[in-house]
Amino acid sequence: MRFSKELSRISKLDRYVRPDKVQGAIKLDSNENFALDRGFIAAVAKDAAKRVDLREYPIDELEELYAKLAEYAGVSEKYVGVGSGSDQIIELLLTTLAVNGARATVFVPTFSYFINRCELHGILVDRVPLDGDFELDAAMFALRAKKADLVYLCSPNNPTGGQIPRKIAAGIIDELDDKLILVDEAYADFAGYSLAKLATKRENVIVLRTLSKAFGLAGARVGYMVTNEKLASVFNSTIQTPYPVSTLSLAIASSVLERSVHVAKTVEAVKSERERVAKRLARIAGIRVFRSDANFLLIEAGRKYRTIADTLEKRGIVVKLLGNVAGHPGCMRVTIGTRRTNSKFVECVEEVVA
Ligand code: PMP
């Protein structure tokens, strides 16, 4: 039976491991925005719940969200698509625009979900390694990507944190004008630039963004994309399911976008905390911190990894333990949270290594 052969192939693929939920822990493992007050999001959600009528399918709320997202991204609504998290948008694009047997080029390390979904759908993944500082050799990347159908650029990159310089990213896009290029900007709100406007002018570029990070709505599952008019229209009318996001999530998302000035303040706080934490960590012997343009830091702890990991666990601080990343031993990815939680994390590392 064909399906059992396929099931057996799929059962051997990398599986998604949901992060453990440790009660009362300081959660620095999934790059959510805890600098945004829980009460603020709760009040918005309560207000949205009062406004919507869940007996109806979400129609007006979707239109309202397109408008709010377009305004935030600085483009017209006709360039915007919406999904249940950017995860779902990635999934849909892979299953419709890249056929089985297609080839994708990515640099590594990068967002493992993307690679896993390619493998699930029989898309061959060519992995171009970043260098020892996790920087990209753009010429080599473009050369390899010429053999691909699909190119994935995570900008800023997860788990390393760095954003490819704008000129280099634009250069790669110029060279690969016959490939479908997905630019994953899940963390761009914390970075220096976005290619959203550029994507509206190209036939082959899709910028993926989300409200899960800077906007503090990981639980609402709202992602969006910005691309050219034709692709956005086909995505919204044919590729996307009719009602991918609940009325409640749509209404909450629109309300939080209306308060984007407040969100931007927390983003600035996270960015300044990121620099403060990076500086303090860089002073610790044996610890290496990589440059980040996102709301997290990748730290190479080498031989101190196990002791730091154990101590963090005892103190109820949860980070993403990655171990060896592309030859860098003992890596962990740490979300930048509030000043208090960031300090707790740094103090713990300082104490262990002293
Ligand atoms: N892209 C990147 C690079 C991410 O790190 C994440 C979150 N883990 C996503 C996309 C997916 O985000 P969401 O589905 O919550 O929009």
Side-chain angles (χ1 to χ4, degrees):
M1 262 191 298
R2 232 193 104 132
F3 103 84
S4 52
K5 212 169 138 198
E6 187 61 358
L7 188 61
S8 151
R9 180 190 74 83
I10 292 172
S11 69
K12 295 185 192 87
L13 296 174
D14 276 354
R15 53 194 67 193
Y16 179 67
V17 185
R18 276 197 194 83
D20 289 334
K21 180 84 189 161
V22 185
Q23 280 311 320
I26 297 176
K27 209 176 163 312
L28 303 178
D29 62 335
S30 298
N31 306 334
E32 295 125 326
N33 184 5
F34 292 117
L36 204 51
D37 192 60
R38 180 175 179 165
F40 166 80
I41 295 292
V44 169
K46 216 168 153 185
D47 179 56
K50 274 194 227 142
R51 273 188 288 125
V52 300
D53 184 349
L54 291 175
R55 294 170 304 177
E56 289 181 22
Y57 280 106
I59 294 170
D60 292 348
E61 290 80 5
L62 187 57
E63 293 302 322
E64 189 190 358
L65 184 61
Y66 283 142
K68 293 274 178 336
L69 288 170
E71 191 187 336
Y72 178 70
V75 299
S76 147
E77 283 167 48
K78 61 186 181 205
Y79 302 121
V80 176
V82 168
S84 173
S86 42
D87 279 352
Q88 190 243 354
I89 300 179
I90 291 173
E91 173 71 0
L92 282 178
L93 295 174
L94 289 180
T95 50
T96 53
L97 299 180
V99 289
N100 195 308
R103 288 161 164 272
T105 301
V106 305
F107 53 72
V108 283
T110 196
F111 183 37
S112 55
Y113 169 86
F114 181 80
I115 295 178
N116 293 345
R117 294 322 279 189
C118 282
E119 290 183 334
L120 175 63
H121 300 303
I123 297 165
L124 304 170
V125 183
D126 183 25
R127 298 161 166 82
V128 179
L130 296 174
D131 72 11
D133 298 321
F134 292 133
E135 301 287 343
L136 178 67
D137 178 340
M140 178 168 63
F141 184 81
L143 199 68
R144 296 260 289 262
K146 289 212 165 119
K147 295 186 208 113
D149 306 287
L150 173 71
V151 174
Y152 176 74
L153 298 173
C154 195
S155 168
N157 188 35
N158 179 8
T160 57
Q163 186 177 41
I164 320 162
R166 185 189 193 117
K167 265 196 174 158
I168 294 185
I172 292 173
I173 290 172
D174 280 342
E175 270 203 57
L176 302 170
D177 59 0
D178 59 338
K179 317 289 177 200
L180 176 64
I181 302 181
L182 303 182
V183 185
D184 188 337
E185 292 191 352
Y187 301 99
D189 309 271
F190 302 97
Y193 73 89
S194 163
L195 294 178
K197 285 204 178 99
L198 180 147
T200 63
K201 299 188 193 98
R202 304 295 174 109
E203 271 177 39
N204 62 322
V205 181
I206 302 177
V207 164
L208 301 158
R209 305 205 52 176
T210 182
L211 298 186
S212 297
K213 308 298 178 183
F215 283 84
L217 292 178
R221 312 304 303 128
V222 184
Y224 63 105
M225 62 178 220
V226 179
T227 186
N228 64 67
E229 188 175 353
K230 182 174 175 204
L231 224 122
S233 154
V234 173
F235 180 84
N236 291 327
S237 62
T238 313
I239 295 177
Q240 183 54 283
T241 59
Y243 306 108
V245 183
S246 77
T247 309
L248 202 51
S249 286
L250 292 169
I252 293 168
S254 288
S255 297
V256 176
L257 278 158
E258 256 168 41
R259 293 158 178 81
S260 63
V261 174
H262 177 64
V263 173
K265 277 188 198 145
T266 70
V267 166
E268 285 311 310
V270 167
K271 282 161 70 177
S272 98
E273 274 295 281
R274 175 180 76 205
E275 301 316 311
R276 181 181 77 88
V277 173
K279 258 193 206 145
R280 259 179 80 173
L281 290 170
R283 284 203 290 264
I284 307 173
I287 301 288
R288 180 166 179 197
V289 196
F290 294 91
R291 179 183 62 81
S292 171
D293 301 295
N295 65 338
F296 57 83
L297 289 169
L298 183 69
I299 295 158
E300 179 181 339
R303 278 182 288 136
K304 300 288 181 184
Y305 177 71
R306 230 14 305 155
T307 350
I308 295 174
D310 290 346
T311 315
L312 287 171
E313 193 186 337
K314 269 189 220 125
R315 306 231 174 127
I317 301 173
V318 185
V319 301
K320 178 90 174 168
L321 296 171
L322 298 166
N324 191 307
V325 175
H328 295 272
C331 287
M332 48 184 82
R333 193 195 64 199
V334 186
T335 306
I336 299 298
T338 61
R339 191 173 174 90
R340 185 185 68 85
T341 59
N342 301 334
S343 293
K344 280 199 167 181
F345 168 76
V346 180
E347 280 155 21
C348 183
V349 179
E350 285 170 342
E351 244 178 80
V352 171
V353 179

